[in-house]
Amino acid sequence: MVEVRDLKDAAFERHAALVAERATAGSIVEAHGDPLPEHICVEAHPQIIDGPEFLRELQILDPADELTFLALECASLGAPWAHACIFETSAERAGATPPVPHVSIYRSLRAKIAVWHLDAHGVRAREKCIARTGGFLQLARADAAACV
């Protein structure tokens, strides 16, 4: 975990200007905060079934973060193809694609969140969580190393 954290920190530091540029350009918005595949009804006009995250500060974010989180959750459920679909649709609607370093950094943040969940008391299906966390850590290591 230390190696992944150090790589992630180095990648974030290297791309800090890009993060600041997106924030200045208005790319930080109030969003859902915790999109899960099971909470989205995919129709002609997708509907989010559950409410947004209960802490507003967790809802102020770069949409690339939220889209990356959703794509990772889809992949962990056996739909890795969802990443391309999610980002292509977003690019069509927003007129731009998030920078690759951002997506990589946000994927590494998912590993951090997974580790926090493992530390939480009362985690259901602990063995499943350990396996998912290991997968997220592998992705984070590869992404962060590519961005440094």
Side-chain angles (χ1 to χ4, degrees), residues 22-83:
R22 283 184 60 82
T24 303
S27 294
I28 307 302
V29 299
E30 185 170 350
H32 185 275
D34 187 27
L36 296 172
E38 60 266 29
H39 298 150
I40 299 172
C41 178
V42 181
E43 295 182 344
H45 299 285
Q47 299 292 315
I48 296 177
I49 297 167
D50 76 332
E53 180 61 47
F54 63 93
L55 295 172
R56 187 170 187 275
E57 59 267 21
L58 296 179
Q59 292 177 255
I60 308 302
L61 48 82
D62 183 336
D65 181 6
E66 191 150 80
L67 296 173
T68 300
F69 181 86
L70 178 59
L72 277 171
E73 288 296 315
C74 290
S76 75
L77 293 170
W81 52 265
H83 183 277

Side-chain angles (χ1 to χ4, degrees), residues 45-138:
H45 299 285
Q47 299 292 315
I48 296 177
I49 297 167
D50 76 332
E53 180 61 47
F54 63 93
L55 295 172
R56 187 170 187 275
E57 59 267 21
L58 296 179
Q59 292 177 255
I60 308 302
L61 48 82
D62 183 336
D65 181 6
E66 191 150 80
L67 296 173
T68 300
F69 181 86
L70 178 59
L72 277 171
E73 288 296 315
C74 290
S76 75
L77 293 170
W81 52 265
H83 183 277
C85 181
I86 289 167
F87 280 94
E88 287 170 11
T89 302
S90 173
E92 287 172 13
R93 294 188 179 204
T97 303
V100 171
H102 269 69
V103 174
S104 295
I105 289 168
Y106 292 137
R107 281 173 37 140
S108 71
L109 289 175
R110 182 63 185 106
K112 184 176 184 176
I113 292 167
V115 170
W116 284 342
H117 281 272
L118 280 176
D119 286 341
H121 298 289
V123 173
R124 294 177 287 160
R126 187 162 180 81
E127 296 306 315
K128 181 179 175 183
C129 287
I130 289 170
R132 284 177 48 132
T133 300
F136 289 139
L137 285 169
Q138 286 179 338

